Structure formats: C-alpha cells, structure tokens
Amino acid sequence: MLFEDEVIERLRIMEYEVYAIREYNKLKNYLALNPQSIVFVTPNDMLTPVGWRKLISVVEDESASFGPVDVGVIMHKMNESAERLLMTGIKCACGSMHFEDGHDVLFQQIVRALDACKAHGLRRNVRASCMNDKTAEVYCMKNTRMLRFKMIDISSAAIATKFPAHLAGEIFESMLIPDARINMRRSYVNASLKISAIKQVGDNLLVIFEYGVGTVPDSMKKIREYVGELLSQNLEASIVGMPVDKTDYNKKEA
C-alpha cells in the first residue's frame, strides 16, 4: 500500500489516469478495451522470471490486438541470473526500475517514462462516472432549504450534477457554496464550491461545480481516491464475462 499511497497518489495529483491491476491473467482483456496503454509490470511469485518475460513479450508484440503498448518493469532486487532471465529479449520501452531505490526515485523515473510516451492525452482532468453510485450527491443549505444535486461525474477540478429544472430559481451561475457536502459511497467530504455553468437538459438542469479555495487538501485527497476507486471499478466491470488468459507462461521452452 505504501507504493500506492506515495507513488500512485502523486501520479493522480498530476492527472495521470492510473490503475493497479493485480491479476495478470486479465491484463490482455483490459488492453483489448483500452488500446495504446502504458503498462508497468511488477514481477512477483505468481510467475517465474521467464514467465513474466513471456507475458511482457506477448503484450509488446500483439499490436494487432490492442495497438502498441509501452512496457516498464518495476522489480524487487533479485539475483543477477533471475534479472537476466526476466529482461532478455524484451523491448521495455519505459525502462526497468527497482523498489529498493525508494519511492521518490521511482516516482521521478515513472514520470519521465510517461512524459516520454506522451501519456497525458488530450483531457486536462481525469474524471469518473458516478452513475452507478446511488449515494453520490452534493448537498447544501440555502436559507432553511436543503438542495440536493445528483452527481453525474467527478474529477479533481469539477463535479457535473443534475438538478430539477423546476427549482431553477434556487441557483445561479457563479453562486458560491462555502459549506457543501459531497457524498461518496461510504464517506463524505465538506467542500467549498462554485457553480460555473447551468444548462437545461430535459426536465433537469446540468449544473457544474468547481472547487473553491476553501476546500482543504485532505478533502481533495479523498476526492482523488474516490475518482480512482470509481475508475477501477468501472474498468473491472468492463471485462466481466470475458475469458481470462489461460496461457501457461511458466511452461518450459522446448
């Protein structure tokens, strides 16, 4: 968990879309639905060094299935022969790294590799759909009235919500809400929000909130964690029903 807290969280602050996948036999399914991804492999005892090398080779070579994939390896210290067995014959465009170098060094190496691969894409902020979270709402008080906004999606920059059109008189663009509550499944955070846009869509209003300066860093951290959790759950749901990879990568070569 330290790697996720100290490296992945920092990558999310920089608006990289990051997933932690723990089952290697589902990797090809994820890549088939998300072509031209970048994969950092962390070899463990699920496969032998040769087995990991074979898997990496397949990922690097099956461009017809999921487009070109750049791969990096983040490994724990292993003996020289095992590392040679792992690394021989793979392209490893994102390089090899070692956990023993420390999280700061790892973070810097990963960012350099991601930037070299132009990983940021066209989106300024990574956002996640909230439509499957029935608890996802923004609450605020106006005088003595509680206003509730159903969240559509969320990022570390803004929240898209829907609000009943017949209550349009209760809100306006540039409206400041210094003490809003954002519900996120099992938890909530308090935040300072500002309405940046309102647009009527059918019987509802599309209301966009931006975070105000009064939103504390701890609340933003929890929001980023929630975005990451939603993205991971949506990614996992996308491959339900797809067959897992049954290749025996540990099988000895003839």
Side-chain angles (χ1 to χ4, degrees):
M1 289 302 293
L2 279 176
F3 179 77
E4 293 193 22
D5 291 341
E6 297 186 19
V7 178
I8 292 181
E9 167 64 12
R10 289 168 72 181
L11 292 171
R12 286 177 175 154
I13 290 174
M14 296 180 69
E15 294 299 331
Y16 289 102
E17 186 171 340
V18 186
Y19 300 91
I21 298 169
R22 292 175 173 80
E23 297 167 286
Y24 76 86
N25 59 1
K26 295 180 180 179
L27 176 59
K28 290 168 71 174
N29 290 341
Y30 291 125
L31 293 176
L33 297 180
N34 300 274
Q36 297 183 307
S37 295
I38 299 169
V39 177
F40 289 91
V41 175
T42 55
N44 55 30
D45 57 8
M46 295 177 70
L47 294 174
T48 64
V50 172
W52 284 111
R53 185 190 74 207
K54 290 179 181 177
L55 175 62
I56 292 169
S57 295
V58 167
V59 168
E60 290 180 330
D61 295 341
E62 286 195 10
S63 58
S65 299
F66 29 72
V69 176
D70 292 316
V71 177
V73 176
I74 308 173
M75 68 185 85
H76 288 284
K77 189 173 181 62
M78 58 180 71
N79 64 54
E80 186 176 334
S81 62
E83 187 166 334
R84 186 167 58 250
L85 285 172
L86 170 64
M87 300 301 297
T88 300
I90 59 176
K91 302 181 184 75
C92 202
C94 292
S96 61
M97 311 163 197
H98 294 84
F99 282 105
E100 286 74 16
D101 291 335
H103 290 141
D104 284 340
V105 172
L106 270 180
F107 171 74
Q108 294 166 14
Q109 291 175 323
I110 291 170
V111 169
R112 283 197 294 268
L114 291 174
D115 287 348
C117 295
K118 299 180 180 178
H120 255 131
L122 298 176
R123 286 183 301 175
R124 182 176 178 183
N125 298 99
V126 176
R127 64 178 183 271
S129 170
C130 303
M131 298 307 291
N132 291 328
D133 180 3
K134 295 180 180 179
T135 71
E137 292 182 313
V138 173
Y139 292 85
C140 69
M141 293 295 298
K142 185 180 180 185
N143 299 322
T144 60
R145 184 167 192 163
M146 173 74 77
L147 303 181
R148 299 173 57 181
F149 303 78
K150 173 59 184 172
M151 289 163 53
I152 299 171
D153 61 50
I154 184 171
S155 75
S156 62
I159 308 171
T161 68
K162 63 179 182 180
F163 187 69
H166 71 273
L167 296 176
E170 299 288 341
I171 59 175
F172 54 90
E173 287 192 22
S174 299
M175 178 176 172
L176 299 176
I177 305 171
D179 53 358
R181 168 171 163 156
I182 304 171
N183 269 21
M184 306 178 298
R185 281 209 178 90
R186 298 171 298 279
S187 65
Y188 70 90
V189 297
N190 294 317
S192 166
L193 300 178
K194 174 185 175 181
I195 296 178
S196 62
I198 301 173
K199 179 180 178 180
Q200 184 153 354
V201 181
D203 294 331
N204 292 292
L205 300 175
L206 173 65
V207 182
I208 307 298
F209 291 100
E210 293 180 352
Y211 305 107
V213 293
T215 305
V216 300
D218 186 59
S219 291
M220 293 307 306
K221 182 177 187 295
K222 290 179 180 177
I223 288 166
R224 283 192 299 272
E225 289 172 349
Y226 177 61
V227 171
E229 180 184 333
L230 288 176
L231 287 171
S232 295
Q233 290 173 347
N234 293 340
L235 182 72
E236 188 172 346
S238 72
I239 67 164
V240 169
M242 295 176 69
V244 298
D245 183 1
K246 294 184 179 180
T247 304
D248 184 1
Y249 293 102
N250 286 334
K251 185 178 180 180
K252 291 187 177 179
E253 299 168 327

